[in-house]
Amino acid sequence: MILQSIELNNFMCYYGENKFVFTEGINVIIGDNGYGKSKLYDAFYWVMYDRCFDTSKKEFRQTSHLKRLIVSDKACKEVVDGSVTTYVKLTFHDQIKDSVYIIERSYKIHKNGDEIREDKDSLQTIYKKDLAYLNAREVDDPFQIDQIKNLILPENIKPYMWFQGEQVESIIDFNKQDTLTQAINVLSNISRFDDIKELATSLNDNAAAELNRKVRSLSKDKGKSEQLELDRQTLIERTKGLQVQELQLKDSLAKAEENSELLINKLEEAQKIRQLEEKRKNIEKQLLEVIAELDQEHTSLHKKMFTNKWVLKGCEHLFEDYSKKYSDYDFNKLKKKAELQARIDAENAVLAELQTRLPIDVPEPIYVERMLEDEHCLVCDREAKKGSEAWNKINELLTRQTAKLQTLSPEDISTHNFSGDFKKLYQNGLGLQYSIGNVDKDIADTFKRQRRINNKRKNLHTELVAIESQIQNLISESGIGINEAKDLLSSYTIQNDYAKSYQRQVSDLENKIRNNHEKLKTIDEQLNSLVTGEIPRSLLSKVEVLKDFEHVATATRNRVFSQLVKMLEVEANHHYNDMTQSNLSARGIIKLKELSNGNFMPELVDSDGNVLLQLNTGNIILIKLATIMAIISARQGSRATDLYTLITDAPMSVFGEDYTIGFCKTVSKVYRQSIIMSKEFYRNENLRNELLNNPEITVGRVYMITPSIPETERSNRESLTTNIKALN
Amino acid sequence: MTKEEVLRSFLADPLFIEQCILKPGEADKIRWSDDKNNDFIKVIKIAIEGEVSKESKTVTARKINQLLG
């Protein structure tokens, strides 16, 4: 079955009439985020299932909830008075029968000015052309409608064929142990073997019951036989109960073993994380201390400007200048003092000499004053003119009586004497000169110490960052949080104890079941011993054949399933390698590991068989996709592979551009037809060219979609349309 | 998987050799049309036929019971 086209009319951002035509191979719709890819996926889904994916609620919601949200805003705005019809039409072509199926869904709203009335529900119509060239006829028989829809995409296959990128994770849920088994059951032929096994069990049970009835009817002691039969039935019921318990316990055991194994694989990492965390704390403490020390050093740096007299740096010459000036001042002061002293000494000497020639007041002052007045010396009787040397000498006799011997006082040397202050200043300067001499060394020492502390801080910080990075890597690789790492050992012990306890319980149950089977065998022997006649050979033969049939049917089913798992493993690795060709970092080997309860779980191992734990989301998605593709490709040539079209929105968004081409090659090999919405080819032109030209990719039709208004510039959607451009 | 391939899967069980229904290696070559006069193989073929043709299990069971009756 090939999906030939989708037509959209006024559906969400697809205003007016829009059509995409598809062929076999990989069909790609390219568009950036917000360009309408998901709306196109919604359109496919809406036609088939009357639901669209609500990204805000992460669930599909029906038209009855979405209502006018399905209708193009532009179409809605343009109609003032009347109806707006939205429809989407899918055309499928069954190439074997050359018949065509058209599935259409429509929805209407009615406008009367600003008033909008919404239809309650959408309407689905299915048309069929028995031969492609004939006219289509509407199919109205509900049974036939279901048949057609089942032919297009059976409900149980839908999750593996139609999905959005964000749904991939849930297709194979690693947290649900039977998820892979379910996928294998749905997508493989194993269900045939399951059906035959079921038939064989039913036939065997009936034949055994028939034989039992016959045995009892031929009993020589019917009362005892009836009692034995009652015992047998009771035992069978008990055994069935025990078997149910055994299954449940095996499930629990498988989970506990899985958890235990996961934890034991994590223990080493947890130990490393714990050690690193201890180291980290220690370094963090040291770093805080060093930061505090550095802060203190910065603060004391400012204080040292004054306490260590750094402010005086460069003032050495001031003291030298001052010393010189002070020295000159002191010299001058001493010189002046000496000169003054000499003068006083000379005057005192004259006084002393005068005193030795004439005593004081001889002649008496009145006679001296008369001689001065008369300008005539009465002692030697000679003329002494005023102003002459003789007159002055006489006059000295008058002043001599007031002259006394003089001594030198500080006031004689200077009027304002600062010599004490100057000296003190000099002495202070002497002390400071020593400090100033040490300032450079002190500054150098201080900055050296700061650098040393800062280097220590940097080293500690670098070490801290490295350790934190190591911890983060370990956390992301192992998926163990720091708190979890602390509790991991106890968690492991708990899970291990659970596993051991379940194992013991399973063993006990197995013993009980074995004992019950022994008891049943004994009852059967007792019943047989009571038989008097002959049991028909045909019945015995029938019982024997059907017992063997049940045994073989069960063994065959298990063997085929194991072979299928091995084949899937090979196929999954093949696809995984194809998809990861361009990026070796994701390499590993997919292993489908069998659990205690018989279920399987995919895991990635390295070449030594060590499980690569806690892979990134991209890897996990690739493993899941590879496994799904393996299930599909393993049955290539069967109807299911050819019949259904893979429709997926943004499946590559989580694993990066390196894998895009590998994914497309694999998809084009595995699926006869696929329709993929992708943004990767929009952003990367080289990828786009490779998609269109790579001979290893069976490319179908490729379209580019662009909105009339970019999402960032939209204030509303009332003029929004979507442009579709075919690229090939 | 064709019904012949399904049949071969069943006949690959060691029980067929243990009970001397088949010789070693015979299961791989057996054809659907081969007429083996053995009720066990006939039962398996009826079951496979019924499964492949999507026959109801009741009908298939009745056919097998008739064969073994």
Side-chain angles (χ1 to χ4, degrees), chain A residues 602-622:
Chain A
E603 60 186 16
L604 202 64
V605 298
D606 64 15
S607 52
D608 297 326
N610 300 318
V611 180
L612 302 171
L613 292 164
Q614 298 304 320
L615 307 158
N616 62 40
T617 314
N619 273 336
I620 291 169
I621 301 286
L622 282 168

Short mmCIF file of all heavy atoms in Angstrom, two decimals, chain A residues 602-622:
data_model
loop_
_atom_site.label_atom_id
_atom_site.label_comp_id
_atom_site.label_asym_id
_atom_site.label_seq_id
_atom_site.Cartn_x
_atom_site.Cartn_y
_atom_site.Cartn_z
N PRO A 602 17.02 -4.36 24.90
CA PRO A 602 18.24 -3.98 24.16
C PRO A 602 19.20 -3.19 25.03
O PRO A 602 18.78 -2.37 25.84
CB PRO A 602 17.71 -3.11 23.02
CG PRO A 602 16.37 -2.66 23.45
CD PRO A 602 15.87 -3.57 24.49
N GLU A 603 20.47 -3.49 24.88
CA GLU A 603 21.49 -2.68 25.56
C GLU A 603 22.70 -2.57 24.64
O GLU A 603 22.87 -3.38 23.73
CB GLU A 603 21.87 -3.30 26.92
CG GLU A 603 22.44 -4.69 26.83
CD GLU A 603 22.66 -5.34 28.20
OE1 GLU A 603 22.11 -4.87 29.19
OE2 GLU A 603 23.40 -6.33 28.25
N LEU A 604 23.53 -1.56 24.90
CA LEU A 604 24.70 -1.34 24.06
C LEU A 604 25.94 -1.79 24.82
O LEU A 604 26.15 -1.40 25.97
CB LEU A 604 24.81 0.14 23.70
CG LEU A 604 25.62 0.47 22.45
CD1 LEU A 604 24.97 -0.11 21.21
CD2 LEU A 604 25.81 1.96 22.28
N VAL A 605 26.74 -2.66 24.18
CA VAL A 605 27.96 -3.13 24.86
C VAL A 605 29.17 -2.73 24.02
O VAL A 605 29.06 -2.49 22.82
CB VAL A 605 27.94 -4.67 25.06
CG1 VAL A 605 26.80 -5.09 25.95
CG2 VAL A 605 27.87 -5.42 23.74
N ASP A 606 30.32 -2.69 24.68
CA ASP A 606 31.55 -2.42 23.92
C ASP A 606 32.12 -3.74 23.40
O ASP A 606 31.53 -4.81 23.62
CB ASP A 606 32.55 -1.63 24.78
CG ASP A 606 33.03 -2.42 25.99
OD1 ASP A 606 32.81 -3.65 26.03
OD2 ASP A 606 33.62 -1.80 26.90
N SER A 607 33.28 -3.66 22.73
CA SER A 607 33.82 -4.87 22.10
C SER A 607 34.19 -5.94 23.14
O SER A 607 34.28 -7.11 22.81
CB SER A 607 35.03 -4.50 21.25
OG SER A 607 35.92 -3.76 22.03
N ASP A 608 34.38 -5.53 24.41
CA ASP A 608 34.69 -6.52 25.45
C ASP A 608 33.44 -7.04 26.13
O ASP A 608 33.52 -7.83 27.08
CB ASP A 608 35.60 -5.88 26.52
CG ASP A 608 36.94 -5.46 25.94
OD1 ASP A 608 37.41 -6.17 25.03
OD2 ASP A 608 37.48 -4.44 26.37
N GLY A 609 32.29 -6.59 25.66
CA GLY A 609 31.03 -7.06 26.24
C GLY A 609 30.58 -6.25 27.44
O GLY A 609 29.59 -6.57 28.07
N ASN A 610 31.32 -5.19 27.77
CA ASN A 610 30.90 -4.36 28.91
C ASN A 610 29.74 -3.47 28.49
O ASN A 610 29.78 -2.87 27.41
CB ASN A 610 32.06 -3.46 29.38
CG ASN A 610 33.24 -4.27 29.82
OD1 ASN A 610 33.09 -5.29 30.49
ND2 ASN A 610 34.43 -3.85 29.41
N VAL A 611 28.76 -3.41 29.35
CA VAL A 611 27.57 -2.61 29.03
C VAL A 611 27.92 -1.13 29.09
O VAL A 611 28.53 -0.67 30.05
CB VAL A 611 26.43 -2.91 30.03
CG1 VAL A 611 25.19 -2.10 29.69
CG2 VAL A 611 26.10 -4.39 30.00
N LEU A 612 27.55 -0.42 28.02
CA LEU A 612 27.75 1.04 28.01
C LEU A 612 26.52 1.64 28.64
O LEU A 612 25.44 1.64 28.05
CB LEU A 612 27.94 1.54 26.58
CG LEU A 612 29.10 0.91 25.82
CD1 LEU A 612 29.08 1.32 24.36
CD2 LEU A 612 30.43 1.31 26.44
N LEU A 613 26.71 2.10 29.86
CA LEU A 613 25.55 2.55 30.64
C LEU A 613 25.22 4.01 30.38
O LEU A 613 26.08 4.78 30.01
CB LEU A 613 25.83 2.35 32.12
CG LEU A 613 25.91 0.89 32.56
CD1 LEU A 613 26.55 0.81 33.92
CD2 LEU A 613 24.56 0.24 32.56
N GLN A 614 23.97 4.32 30.62
CA GLN A 614 23.48 5.70 30.58
C GLN A 614 23.99 6.48 29.37
O GLN A 614 24.74 7.43 29.48
CB GLN A 614 23.85 6.42 31.87
CG GLN A 614 23.25 5.80 33.09
CD GLN A 614 21.75 5.69 33.03
OE1 GLN A 614 21.08 6.60 32.56
NE2 GLN A 614 21.19 4.59 33.47
N LEU A 615 23.59 5.98 28.21
CA LEU A 615 23.96 6.65 26.98
C LEU A 615 23.18 7.94 26.86
O LEU A 615 22.16 8.11 27.53
CB LEU A 615 23.63 5.73 25.80
CG LEU A 615 24.24 4.33 25.93
CD1 LEU A 615 23.47 3.35 25.08
CD2 LEU A 615 25.68 4.36 25.52
N ASN A 616 23.63 8.81 25.94
CA ASN A 616 22.85 10.04 25.78
C ASN A 616 21.57 9.73 24.99
O ASN A 616 21.43 8.66 24.38
CB ASN A 616 23.69 11.14 25.12
CG ASN A 616 24.14 10.76 23.73
OD1 ASN A 616 23.35 10.16 22.98
ND2 ASN A 616 25.36 11.07 23.39
N THR A 617 20.66 10.70 25.03
CA THR A 617 19.34 10.48 24.44
C THR A 617 19.45 10.07 22.98
O THR A 617 18.73 9.18 22.52
CB THR A 617 18.51 11.77 24.55
OG1 THR A 617 18.67 12.27 25.86
CG2 THR A 617 17.05 11.51 24.27
N GLY A 618 20.37 10.72 22.24
CA GLY A 618 20.54 10.41 20.82
C GLY A 618 20.85 8.94 20.60
O GLY A 618 20.26 8.28 19.75
N ASN A 619 21.79 8.42 21.41
CA ASN A 619 22.17 7.01 21.28
C ASN A 619 21.01 6.08 21.58
O ASN A 619 20.80 5.09 20.89
CB ASN A 619 23.31 6.69 22.26
CG ASN A 619 24.65 7.00 21.65
OD1 ASN A 619 24.77 7.02 20.44
ND2 ASN A 619 25.62 7.25 22.47
N ILE A 620 20.29 6.43 22.64
CA ILE A 620 19.17 5.58 23.04
C ILE A 620 18.13 5.53 21.91
O ILE A 620 17.63 4.46 21.56
CB ILE A 620 18.54 6.09 24.36
CG1 ILE A 620 19.55 5.85 25.49
CG2 ILE A 620 17.23 5.40 24.66
CD1 ILE A 620 19.22 6.52 26.78
N ILE A 621 17.86 6.70 21.33
CA ILE A 621 16.87 6.75 20.25
C ILE A 621 17.38 5.92 19.06
O ILE A 621 16.60 5.18 18.42
CB ILE A 621 16.62 8.21 19.81
CG1 ILE A 621 16.12 9.05 20.98
CG2 ILE A 621 15.66 8.28 18.63
CD1 ILE A 621 14.73 8.84 21.42
N LEU A 622 18.67 6.05 18.76
CA LEU A 622 19.23 5.28 17.64
C LEU A 622 19.09 3.78 17.89
O LEU A 622 18.75 3.02 16.98
CB LEU A 622 20.70 5.65 17.43
CG LEU A 622 20.96 6.97 16.71
CD1 LEU A 622 22.41 7.36 16.82
CD2 LEU A 622 20.57 6.88 15.25
#
